[in-house]
């Protein structure tokens, strides 16, 4: 949520910033609503004070033997006006709250302008692209040859955009997750957490998935209403919901493996082949909660932690800065890691690393106690995939294949595969 002070004090600045995203902020309408709120608040306070004064007068008049009925009638009338005014104020405040919840975060000045992913700016590349003396297969064909990737049976069980893994491919998928957890815990200083796979409405509002992205969520009709977590970012970031962290707890780094569930609304016809865009997938998620002065350095570090996974696995990738038209709703700046897929002959996203500044923290009421002032202040939150396990599996299959459709196991994963070095032998 954007700082309301920015909206009240400089709505033109907010409008100009959000216009870079293509979001039209009606400054005049907002000012009118804010002025209406201010007037109602003043009127409510005045009526409250007047009613209190008249109520006190009743006791005094009664003690002096005066007729108190006219005063009581006045107090009743003031009470009715007060309740009407409070009701109007509540309605205006709810309108403002809804407006605030539907507004995306302010963009950092370093975010490049652009309408879509074609304007994303490449920052760096790592690793040479593999040279094959044969036409490389994609992961779907490789999965069929290896006998461990079945889309047909998954479709019978749950519908399209699901997959059933088995044998060495299922083990490789599990090995990837275990390897990434160990790397981030042992070398990058993250604390492992296990969190619910179901989240409530407030948790999704806190991280920005609701109300804007309702159609992307899988609802569970329950009392209270629950949703399948679209990403571990939601439950992990909510660990600091409505908390005041001590300075000794800052920064906090969390890592978690969770399945993710997304309806993929609006993606009809996109990536219908294979595992690239699924309703259910696995990620190892990195979340950081930091002091505001440290969040931009934290973004670089977090991105580097995700890059380390790809480098240790020998997977060529590039890093891009997302442009204003492609960046996520809650992010102030985002780096995408895109891994090379020989089967598609292109780079595809495998991790998004974002700094949300205080946007999520304001929704979550997540704060830390500044030792210099002794006062609670909003934290900054960040998250990134470290990395998406399914897409990493795809990248390994395609980059490590041989002409016979077998797949070499990256050296870093051999211990997690019980010493196995080749799939398909």
């Amino acid at each position: 949520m954007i700082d309301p002070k920015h909206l009240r004090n400089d709505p033109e600045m907010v409008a100009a910033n959000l216009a870079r995203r293509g979001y039209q902020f009606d400054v005049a309408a907002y000012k009118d609503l804010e002025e209406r709120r201010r007037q109602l608040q003043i009127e409510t306070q005045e009526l409250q004070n007047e009613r209190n004064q008249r109520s006190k007068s009743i006791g005094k008049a009664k003690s002096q033997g005066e007729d108190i009925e006219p005063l009581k009638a006045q107090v009743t009338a003031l009470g009715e006006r007060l309740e009407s005014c409070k009701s109007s104020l509540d309605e205006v405040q709810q309108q403002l709250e809804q407006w605030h919840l539907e507004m995306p975060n302010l963009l950092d000045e370093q975010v490049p302008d652009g309408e879509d992913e074609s304007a994303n700016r490449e920052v760096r590349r790592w690793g040479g692209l593999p040279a094959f003396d044969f036409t490389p297969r994609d992961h779907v064909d490789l999965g069929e040859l290896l006998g461990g990737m079945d889309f047909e049976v998954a479709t019978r069980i749950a519908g399209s955009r699901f997959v059933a893994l088995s044998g060495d491919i299922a083990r490789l998928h599990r090995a990837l997750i275990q390897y990434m957890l160990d790397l981030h815990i042992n070398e990058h200083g993250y604390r492992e957490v296990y969190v619910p796979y179901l989240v409530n409405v407030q948790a999704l509002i806190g991280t920005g998935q609701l109300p804007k992205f309702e159609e992307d969520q899988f609802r569970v009709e329950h009392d209270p209403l629950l949703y399948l977590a679209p990403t571990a970012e939601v439950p992990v970031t909510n660990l600091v919901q409505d908390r005041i962290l001590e300075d000794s707890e800052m920064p906090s780094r969390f890592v978690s493996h969770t399945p993710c569930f997304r309806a993929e609304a609006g993606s009809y016809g996109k990536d219908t082949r294979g595992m690239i865009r699924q309703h259910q997938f696995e990620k190892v998620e990195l979340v950081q909660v930091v002091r505001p002065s440290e969040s931009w350095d934290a973004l670089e570090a977090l991105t580097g932690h995700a890059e380390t996974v790809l480098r240790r696995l020998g997977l060529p990738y590039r890093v891009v800065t997302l442009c204003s038209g492609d960046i996520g709703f809650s992010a102030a700046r985002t780096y995408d890691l895109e891994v090379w897929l020989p089967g598609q002959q292109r780079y595809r996203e495998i991790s998004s690393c974002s700094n949300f500044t205080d946007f999520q923290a304001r929704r979550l009421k997540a704060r830390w106690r500044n030792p210099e002032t002794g006062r609670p202040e909003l934290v900054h939150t960040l998250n990134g995939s470290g990395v998406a396990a399914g897409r990493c599996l795809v990248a390994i299959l395609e980059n490590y294949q041989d002409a016979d459709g077998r797949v070499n196991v990256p050296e870093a994963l051999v211990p997690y595969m019980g010493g196995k070095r080749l799939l398909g032998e």
Side-chain angles (χ1 to χ4, degrees):
M1 188 181 298
I2 296 174
D3 189 342
K5 292 180 182 178
H6 291 326
L7 291 166
R8 288 194 294 265
N9 298 336
D10 197 354
E12 289 79 9
M13 177 277 291
V14 172
N17 185 292
L18 297 184
R20 298 177 58 202
R21 291 178 175 267
Y23 181 93
Q24 299 304 311
F25 176 42
D26 191 334
V27 173
Y30 184 84
K31 284 183 174 180
D32 287 345
L33 193 60
E34 180 60 32
E35 178 61 21
R36 175 69 173 151
R37 180 204 61 79
R38 189 184 70 83
Q39 291 175 352
L40 285 168
Q41 197 163 35
I42 292 173
E43 186 177 353
T44 299
Q45 291 171 349
E46 290 177 344
L47 286 169
Q48 181 75 58
N49 291 334
E50 187 176 357
R51 190 183 68 164
N52 291 342
Q53 291 300 321
R54 295 292 176 88
S55 296
K56 291 179 181 178
S57 298
I58 292 176
K60 183 177 180 181
K62 186 176 182 180
S63 66
Q64 295 176 351
E66 298 176 4
D67 183 6
I68 63 172
E69 290 307 316
L71 289 174
K72 289 175 66 176
Q74 291 174 8
V75 169
T76 300
L78 284 169
E80 291 173 353
R81 288 174 58 193
L82 178 60
E83 289 305 312
S84 176
C85 197
K86 282 183 176 179
S87 178
S88 296
L89 178 59
D90 287 344
E91 183 179 340
V92 169
Q93 288 177 327
Q94 288 174 15
Q95 291 177 37
L96 284 169
E97 178 73 9
Q98 191 65 24
W99 205 334
H100 293 163
L101 289 176
E102 292 177 355
M103 293 176 67
N105 198 3
L106 295 175
L107 294 173
D108 179 63
E109 60 184 12
Q110 294 189 32
V111 173
D113 288 325
E115 294 184 2
D116 53 39
E117 63 181 14
S118 64
N120 293 342
R121 183 180 300 164
E122 184 172 312
V123 178
R124 56 184 171 271
R125 293 190 182 197
W126 184 90
L129 304 186
F132 298 104
D133 56 5
F134 57 92
T135 301
R137 300 174 173 87
D138 72 2
H139 66 283
V140 178
D141 290 338
L142 289 166
E144 184 177 348
L145 283 172
L146 294 170
M149 187 180 295
D150 197 324
F151 295 95
E152 183 178 345
V153 71
T155 299
R156 291 201 301 270
I157 295 169
S160 62
R161 295 190 187 273
F162 290 92
V163 66
L165 305 178
S166 62
D168 285 342
I169 293 182
R171 185 174 187 179
L172 182 59
H173 185 254
R174 175 166 55 88
L176 266 171
I177 293 167
Q178 188 63 55
Y179 169 71
M180 289 187 283
L181 286 170
D182 287 349
L183 173 66
H184 295 312
I185 294 165
N186 297 330
E187 297 190 30
H188 298 151
Y190 288 83
R191 180 183 183 186
E192 184 175 6
V193 293
Y194 172 80
V195 290
Y197 299 163
L198 290 166
V199 294
N200 60 27
V201 171
Q202 187 55 50
L204 287 162
I205 289 175
T207 49
Q209 278 75 19
L210 290 180
K212 183 174 177 59
F213 302 107
E214 167 76 25
E215 64 179 4
D216 288 326
Q217 315 305 321
F218 280 112
R219 293 166 58 107
V220 177
E221 297 303 330
H222 182 270
D223 187 15
L225 179 63
L226 294 172
Y227 294 82
L228 293 172
T231 166
E233 168 197 349
V234 178
V236 176
T237 308
N238 271 274
L239 291 173
V240 297
Q241 179 193 141
D242 204 22
R243 287 189 58 198
I244 300 175
L245 302 177
E246 296 302 324
D247 187 60
S248 60
E249 299 178 88
M250 301 288 284
S252 288
R253 292 177 170 180
F254 303 107
V255 61
S256 183
H257 158 240
T258 61
C260 308
F261 305 91
R262 296 184 185 174
E264 293 294 345
S267 66
Y268 181 78
K270 295 180 181 178
D271 296 312
T272 55
R273 178 176 171 83
M275 290 181 61
I276 295 298
R277 195 179 297 273
Q278 298 274 282
H279 288 314
Q280 174 185 313
F281 56 96
E282 312 282 311
K283 283 203 299 180
V284 171
E285 193 78 355
L286 306 176
V287 170
Q288 294 198 23
V289 180
V290 305
R291 303 175 185 91
S293 62
E294 301 171 348
S295 66
W296 294 116
D297 288 339
L299 176 61
E300 301 299 326
L302 186 150
T303 304
H305 298 155
E307 288 184 73
T308 299
V309 174
L310 301 180
R311 293 190 181 200
R312 297 281 181 89
L313 296 174
L315 295 171
Y317 69 91
R318 67 174 187 168
V319 180
V320 299
T321 300
L322 297 194
C323 73
S324 58
D326 195 35
I327 195 170
F329 176 82
S330 301
R333 192 199 307 167
T334 296
Y335 293 122
D336 266 11
L337 274 59
E338 298 179 347
V339 69
W340 177 255
L341 297 184
Q344 296 188 16
Q345 288 293 294
R346 58 181 292 201
Y347 288 98
R348 295 302 304 267
E349 178 208 334
I350 195 169
S351 173
S352 281
C353 302
S354 300
N355 183 1
F356 304 110
T357 57
D358 59 8
F359 186 82
Q360 292 180 330
R362 185 167 284 104
R363 291 168 170 245
L364 293 166
K365 299 180 182 178
R367 295 164 292 171
W368 69 294
R369 194 175 303 282
N370 188 330
E372 295 182 3
T373 64
R375 297 176 180 175
E377 299 177 10
L378 292 172
V379 299
H380 279 194
T381 59
L382 304 93
N383 93 280
S385 302
V387 294
R391 292 193 179 190
C392 198
L393 174 69
V394 167
I396 289 174
L397 294 177
E398 294 192 9
N399 281 277
Y400 280 88
Q401 64 181 294
D402 65 19
D404 297 323
R406 297 173 300 183
V407 175
N408 292 287
V409 176
E411 191 62 33
L413 298 180
V414 170
Y416 294 87
M417 291 291 291
K420 193 176 188 69
R421 293 180 176 273
L422 187 65
L423 308 186
E425 62 178 354

